[in-house]
């Protein structure tokens, strides 16, 4: 990265799973750099969903480096996920035609619930598959598949954890870390957010701010995706040897199923 800048720039890794993100600073100038981020980032920036894209450079080896404003700010606290501005920004994302057009141009196929169920049926380890709650959950997923197929398809973030919501010092809210972007049923995002952060007796009010009603169809689709994701989390943590986290998701599945 250093050869992109004069020697006076300080460049340090930003952490993260990929190791492709960096912070760069020179006096008062501060940038967030990422290697080989998707062209989708330009549209996210133009729509005001992520911090402003400053420039894009292609290196001789073919890598593409993007630079965004590095903002002072903080991630949202779990309790702040109830706020109206979270609902409004998620709705803006789900109804954005430029975002959908760009993902389609990049060749993104709609995420089908059938594929998610097939992955669970074929890859789930036997000792998890034999748990009573997992058996019950798998029957729920199989029985509800036809109804879930009826969902619409929009741009979804795929990981609406509070850690991915950035509130700047100027009180501007952003949703960051778009590596898992997909074209999917909005119930994928909305379900995880409501189940994780919003008491059920407040769902209707939150959804009014989002701009929709809590119908029986939406309730089923949200639960379907949350149950499927929970089982995938169990499997992922087990494969990593993170048994404490695996047990957390086993207990969570018991609560929601």
């Amino acid at each position: 990265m250093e050869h992109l800048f004069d020697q006076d720039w300080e460049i340090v890794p930003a952490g993260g799973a990929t190791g492709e993100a960096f912070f760069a600073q020179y006096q008062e100038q501060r940038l967030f750099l990422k290697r080989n981020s998707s062209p989708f980032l330009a549209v996210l920036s133009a729509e005001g969903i992520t911090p402003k894209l400053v420039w894009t450079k292609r290196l001789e080896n073919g890598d593409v480096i993007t630079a965004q404003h590095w903002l002072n700010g903080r991630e949202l606290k779990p309790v702040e996920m109830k706020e109206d501005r979270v609902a409004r920004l998620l709705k803006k994302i789900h109804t954005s035609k430029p975002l959908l057009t760009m993902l389609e141009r990049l060749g993104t196929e709609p995420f089908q619930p059938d594929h998610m169920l097939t992955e669970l049926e074929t890859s789930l380890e036997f000792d998890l598959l034999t748990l009573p709650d997992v058996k019950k959950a798998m029957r729920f997923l199989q029985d509800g598949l036809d109804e879930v197929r009826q969902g619409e398809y929009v741009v979804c973030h795929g990981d609406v954890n509070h850690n991915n919501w950035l509130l700047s010092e100027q009180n501007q809210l952003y949703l960051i870390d778009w590596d898992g972007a997909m074209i999917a049923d909005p119930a994928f995002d909305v379900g995880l957010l409501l189940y994780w952060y919003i008491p059920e007796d407040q769902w209707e009010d939150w959804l009014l701010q989002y701009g929709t009603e809590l119908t029986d169809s939406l309730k089923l689709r949200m639960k379907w995706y949350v149950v499927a994701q929970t089982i995938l989390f169990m499997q992922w943590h087990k494969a990593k040897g993170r048994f404490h986290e695996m047990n957390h998701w086993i207990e969570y599945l018991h609560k929601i199923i």
Side-chain angles (χ1 to χ4, degrees), residues 6-21:
D6 296 331
Q7 294 300 310
D8 291 335
W9 281 81
E10 179 185 4
I11 300 176
V12 296
T18 64
E20 301 286 355

Side-chain angles (χ1 to χ4, degrees), residues 36-50:
N36 295 331
S37 61
S38 168
F40 190 49
L41 181 62
V43 186
L44 290 166
S45 170
E47 292 280 284
I49 293 163
T50 61

Side-chain angles (χ1 to χ4, degrees), residues 85-86 130 235:
R85 57 185 168 188
V86 173
T130 55
Q235 172 83 4

